[in-house]
C-alpha cells in the first residue's frame, strides 16, 4: 500500500475561494505533471521544491479545466514524508471533482479516510499521539481545546511517555543483569532502586490520569443534564446559560415534555447541555415518556445539574432526584434565590460538599458567574485554567495508561515484598508495552487501521 500514489481533496467540499487536491506517493510528481502545465512552459520538476508555480490544469482532450497554483514537496520534507504535489484551484465543487478525476486517470487511487496522516505515522514523521491530535485540531470546540491539541501535535504527551518508558527500560535492564549475574547482587540496594524508579513513574502516570477528564471534556464536550422536579427553573437556567430564550418557560408545571439539547461554550468549557422534562409521577402519556428520558439522561450524563426550588423546602420528589444523582458527578443549584431561601443550605452542603451547592437566580442571573467558576474548577482543577504539561487526549490513551499504572503498582508491591526479580520484570515489561501502544512504538495493525478510520477523507 505504501508505494501506491493516492490523491484526495483536502479542503472542505462546497463553494469556496480556494480548493486543494493533494497527491502523495512515489509517482506524485508524474501524476501532477500529467495534468498541470506551468504558464512558463517549464516542468514542475524544473522548479526548486516547495515553490508555488502558476499554471493551468488541462483535460485529456486538451481543454482548459482551471487556472491553478501547484507546488511539489519532495519527501521526507512533506506532510506524509513522501513526494507530494498539491494543486490549488478555485473552490468550486465541479473544478475540484474534475481535477481529482484526472489524478485517478493519471495513475493515483482515491485516498482512504485518514490515509495521508496514516502515512505520516508509518513513515515516522509523527507518532500516534500526534496523529490523533491532528483530528483534535480540526474538531476543536474552543480555544482551550485547540491549544491543547496543538501541544499534543508538537509531541508533548509522547515526550512524557517516552521519558517514562526509558526509565522503566533501565529498571528491566538492571534487573536482568542481576538475574544473569547473581553473584554481583546486593538485594537491599537492588530492591531500593527498583522501588524508587517505579514510584517515580507511578507518580508521573497518576498525574496524567488525574487530568484525563480535562482532555476528554475539551475534546468531546461535557455531557451535562439539567434535572429536577417540574417548575424549579430548569428551562430558565438553560436560557440563562445560553443567553437566549431557547426553552419555553411558564408558571405551569410540566411545560418541558421532551429533552432540549444545546451545545455552548461556558467560559471556554464546551458543554453538551440537556434540559430535561421535570421528573415526577404522572399519568399523562406524553409527559411520562419525557420523564423516562430524563431518568435515562441522568444516568448517562457526565455531569448532573440538580435544580431545586430554594423558595420552598425539599419535597419527596426533590429527595428522590438528589439520591439518584448522589453517585454521579453533580452540582446542586438552589434556584429562585431572589424569592428568599427556605432550603437548609448547610444541610445540603454537609451532604454533598461545601463547594457543590450553589445558590442562583435564573431570573436575575445572580449566581451564574459563580457556577461558571465552579465549572472551570471542575474541568481544570484548582488552577481554574489549562495548566502547562501533557494531557491525555482520549479514552484509548486513558485506558492504556490505567492498565500500565496497574502493572507498575503490582511491580512496586512485588519489590516491597522482595519477590523474585522475574515477577517484577514481567509487570514492568507489560507497562512498557502499554506506554508504547499509546505512542505507536508498539501497536498492532488493526489498532492503527481503527484509529485512522475515524479521520475524514483528505486528512
Amino acid at each position: 500500500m505504501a508505494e501506491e500514489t493516492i490523491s484526495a481533496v483536502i479542503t472542505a467540499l462546497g463553494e469556496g475561494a480556494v480548493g486543494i487536491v493533494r497527491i502523495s506517493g512515489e509517482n506524485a510528481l508524474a501524476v501532477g505533471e500529467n495534468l498541470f502545465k506551468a504558464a512558463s512552459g517549464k516542468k514542475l520538476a524544473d522548479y526548486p521544491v516547495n515553490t508555488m508555480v502558476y499554471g493551468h490544469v488541462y483535460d485529456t482532450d486538451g481543454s482548459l479545466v482551471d487556472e491553478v497554483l501547484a507546488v511539489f514537496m519532495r519527501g521526507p520534507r512533506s506532510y506524509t514524508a513522501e513526494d507530494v504535489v498539491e494543486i490549488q484551484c478555485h473552490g468550486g465543487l465541479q473544478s475540484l471533482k474534475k481535477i481529482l478525476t484526472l489524478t485517478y486517470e493519471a495513475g493515483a487511487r482515491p485516498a482512504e479516510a485518514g490515509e495521508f496522516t496514516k502515512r505520516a505515522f508509518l513513515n515516522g514523521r509523527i507518532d500516534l499521539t500526534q496523529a490523533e491530535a491532528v483530528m483534535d485540531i480540526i474538531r476543536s470546540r474552543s480555544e482551550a481545546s485547540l491549544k491543547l491539541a496543538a501541544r499534543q501535535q508538537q509531541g508533548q504527551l509522547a515526550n512524557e511517555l517516552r521519558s517514562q518508558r526509558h526509565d522503566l527500560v533501565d529498571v528491566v535492564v538492571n534487573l536482568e543483569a542481576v538475574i544473569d549475574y547473581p553473584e554481583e547482587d546486593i538485594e537491599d540496594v537492588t530492591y531500593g532502586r527498583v522501588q524508587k524508579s517505579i514510584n517515580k513513574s507511578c507518580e508521573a502516570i497518576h498525574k496524567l490520569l488525574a487530568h484525563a477528564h480535562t482532555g476528554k471534556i475539551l475534546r468531546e464536550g461535557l455531557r451535562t443534564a439539567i434535572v429536577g422536579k417540574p417548575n424549579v427553573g430548569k428551562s430558565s437556567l438553560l436560557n440563562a446559560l445560553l443567553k437566549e430564550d431557547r426553552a419555553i418557560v411558564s408558571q405551569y408545571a410540566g411545560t418541558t415534555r421532551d429533552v432540549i439539547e444545546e451545545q455552548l461554550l461556558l467560559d471556554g468549557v464546551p458543554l453538551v447541555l440537556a434540559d430535561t422534562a421535570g421528573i415526577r409521577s404522572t399519568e399523562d402519556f406524553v409527559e411520562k415518556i419525557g420523564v423516562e428520558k430524563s431518568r435515562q439522561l441522568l444516568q448517562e450524563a457526565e455531569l448532573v445539574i440538580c435544580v431545586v426550588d430554594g423558595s420552598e423546602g425539599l419535597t419527596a420528589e426533590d429527595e428522590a432526584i438528589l439520591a439518584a444523582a448522589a453517585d454521579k458527578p453533580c452540582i446542586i443549584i438552589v434556584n429562585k434565590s431572589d424569592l428568599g431561601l427556605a432550603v437548609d443550605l448547610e444541610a445540603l452542603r454537609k451532604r454533598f460538599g461545601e463547594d457543590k451547592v450553589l445558590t442562583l437566580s435564573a431570573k436575575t442571573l445572580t449566581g451564574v458567574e459563580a457556577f461558571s467558576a465552579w465549572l472551570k474548577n471542575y474541568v481544570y482543577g484548582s488552577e481554574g485554567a489549562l495548566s502547562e504539561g501533557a494531557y491525555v487526549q482520549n479514552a484509548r490513551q486513558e485506558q492504556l495508561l490505567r492498565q500500565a499504572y496497574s502493572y507498575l503498582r503490582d511491580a512496586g508491591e512485588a519489590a516491597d515484598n522482595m519477590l523474585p526479580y522475574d515477577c517484577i520484570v514481567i509487570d514492568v515489561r507489560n507497562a512498557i508495552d502499554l506506554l508504547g501502544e499509546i505512542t505507536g512504538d508498539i501497536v498492532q495493525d488493526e489498532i492503527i487501521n481503527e484509529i485512522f478510520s475515524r479521520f475524514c477523507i483528505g486528512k
Side-chain angles (χ1 to χ4, degrees):
M1 176 185 289
E3 66 274 7
E4 291 183 305
T5 299
I6 58 175
S7 63
V9 176
I10 64 172
T11 46
L13 293 178
E15 293 184 0
V18 177
I20 303 175
V21 175
R22 176 182 288 158
I23 310 162
S24 180
E26 185 178 7
N27 298 318
L29 182 59
V31 171
E33 290 191 326
N34 188 273
L35 53 126
F36 170 77
K37 307 301 177 187
S40 65
K42 296 194 295 185
K43 288 185 173 297
L44 194 57
D46 295 335
Y47 287 88
V49 293
N50 304 323
T51 299
M52 197 70 75
V53 181
Y54 169 72
H56 301 83
V57 169
Y58 291 93
D59 203 342
T60 51
D61 62 3
S63 61
L64 177 66
V65 174
D66 200 357
E67 180 183 32
V68 303
L69 294 172
V71 59
F72 171 53
M73 294 166 273
R74 189 178 299 282
R77 300 176 69 85
S78 70
Y79 182 77
T80 61
E82 302 172 332
D83 285 357
V84 170
V85 171
E86 290 187 0
I87 298 174
Q88 297 186 9
C89 63
H90 293 98
L93 184 60
Q94 293 304 316
S95 176
L96 284 164
K97 182 179 177 181
K98 182 61 181 179
I99 292 172
L100 187 60
T101 300
L102 289 173
T103 67
Y104 300 156
E105 293 175 359
R109 69 159 174 81
E112 298 173 359
E115 191 169 3
F116 291 118
T117 307
K118 182 179 179 181
R119 289 190 175 198
F121 165 69
L122 293 175
N123 291 328
R125 195 184 75 80
I126 58 175
D127 63 46
L128 206 50
T129 63
Q130 291 174 299
E132 289 176 304
V134 170
M135 284 310 296
D136 290 347
I137 289 174
I138 294 171
R139 295 171 177 165
S140 292
R141 300 187 179 194
S142 66
E143 185 177 347
S145 61
L146 175 61
K147 187 179 296 184
L148 180 57
R151 278 197 220 165
Q152 307 300 51
Q153 211 274 330
Q154 292 298 309
Q156 194 172 55
L157 177 61
N159 291 338
E160 173 64 28
L161 295 178
R162 289 202 175 99
S163 174
Q164 299 310 319
R165 285 191 81 214
H166 179 271
D167 292 346
L168 293 172
V169 167
D170 284 346
V171 171
V172 171
V173 170
N174 291 333
L175 283 176
E176 289 184 339
V178 172
I179 293 170
D180 292 338
Y181 304 99
E183 65 275 6
E184 303 294 333
D185 182 26
I186 304 175
E187 285 195 349
D188 290 343
V189 174
T190 300
Y191 281 115
R193 287 175 178 170
V194 168
Q195 289 169 326
K196 183 177 180 181
S197 295
I198 290 176
N199 288 340
K200 180 182 175 184
S201 292
C202 276
E203 289 175 7
I205 293 175
H206 183 267
K207 183 178 179 181
L208 287 172
L209 288 171
H211 290 92
H213 78 293
T214 301
K216 183 176 182 296
I217 289 169
L218 293 180
R219 181 175 184 265
E220 301 174 7
L222 182 61
R223 295 197 62 83
T224 307
I226 305 175
V227 300
K229 69 181 184 182
N231 213 27
V232 294
K234 299 183 300 299
S235 296
S236 296
L237 176 60
L238 175 70
N239 291 340
L241 295 176
L242 291 174
K243 298 181 180 178
E244 63 175 274
D245 292 335
R246 174 64 179 85
I248 298 173
V249 176
S250 80
Q251 73 271 30
Y252 301 107
T255 302
T256 303
R257 295 191 171 199
D258 200 355
V259 174
I260 298 174
E261 189 168 283
E262 287 287 334
Q263 298 189 22
L264 76 151
L265 282 176
L266 191 60
D267 275 359
V269 178
L271 296 181
V272 182
L273 198 60
D275 175 26
T276 66
I279 298 176
R280 65 172 175 176
S281 298
T282 177
E283 296 304 318
D284 185 289
F285 178 74
V286 175
E287 186 180 359
K288 186 179 292 186
I289 295 173
V291 170
E292 286 306 310
K293 283 187 177 181
S294 299
R295 295 185 193 278
Q296 183 180 349
L297 270 173
L298 190 154
Q299 295 303 317
E300 296 174 351
E302 296 167 320
L303 175 65
V304 177
I305 303 175
C306 285
V307 183
V308 299
D309 185 343
S311 65
E312 61 180 43
L314 296 181
T315 66
E317 289 173 334
D318 289 319
E319 290 291 354
I321 295 166
L322 291 172
D327 295 331
K328 304 277 298 181
C330 66
I331 176 76
I332 313 302
I333 299 293
V334 180
N335 191 30
K336 304 186 183 181
S337 61
D338 54 302
L339 300 179
L341 294 178
V343 168
D344 188 341
L345 291 179
E346 291 306 313
L348 273 178
R349 285 171 176 154
K350 186 176 181 180
R351 180 175 168 186
F352 288 95
E354 187 69 26
D355 64 332
K356 294 177 71 173
V357 178
L358 302 177
T359 59
L360 184 142
S361 169
K363 182 178 180 180
T364 66
L365 303 184
T366 303
V368 173
E369 289 186 5
F371 171 70
S372 297
W374 179 91
L375 183 67
K376 289 175 70 175
N377 287 337
Y378 173 77
V379 173
Y380 298 119
S382 58
E383 300 93 342
L386 191 66
S387 61
E388 296 300 321
Y391 282 80
V392 177
Q393 294 167 256
N394 52 50
R396 181 190 79 89
Q397 295 173 0
E398 181 181 358
Q399 181 183 16
L400 292 171
L401 265 185
R402 291 195 184 282
Q403 292 174 6
Y405 183 73
S406 178
Y407 277 120
L408 289 179
R409 290 290 300 272
D410 290 345
E413 289 180 10
D416 290 342
N417 296 316
M418 301 186 77
L419 296 182
Y421 297 141
D422 299 64
C423 298
I424 302 172
V425 167
I426 290 172
D427 284 331
V428 176
R429 278 193 176 280
N430 285 333
I432 291 170
D433 288 347
L434 288 164
L435 296 181
E437 284 188 42
I438 297 175
T439 59
D441 294 321
I442 301 173
V443 67
Q444 299 175 351
D445 288 345
E446 55 265 31
I447 300 298
I448 294 174
N449 292 335
E450 181 184 347
I451 289 171
F452 287 103
S453 68
R454 301 170 187 165
F455 280 49
C456 56
I457 299 290
K459 203 59 186 175

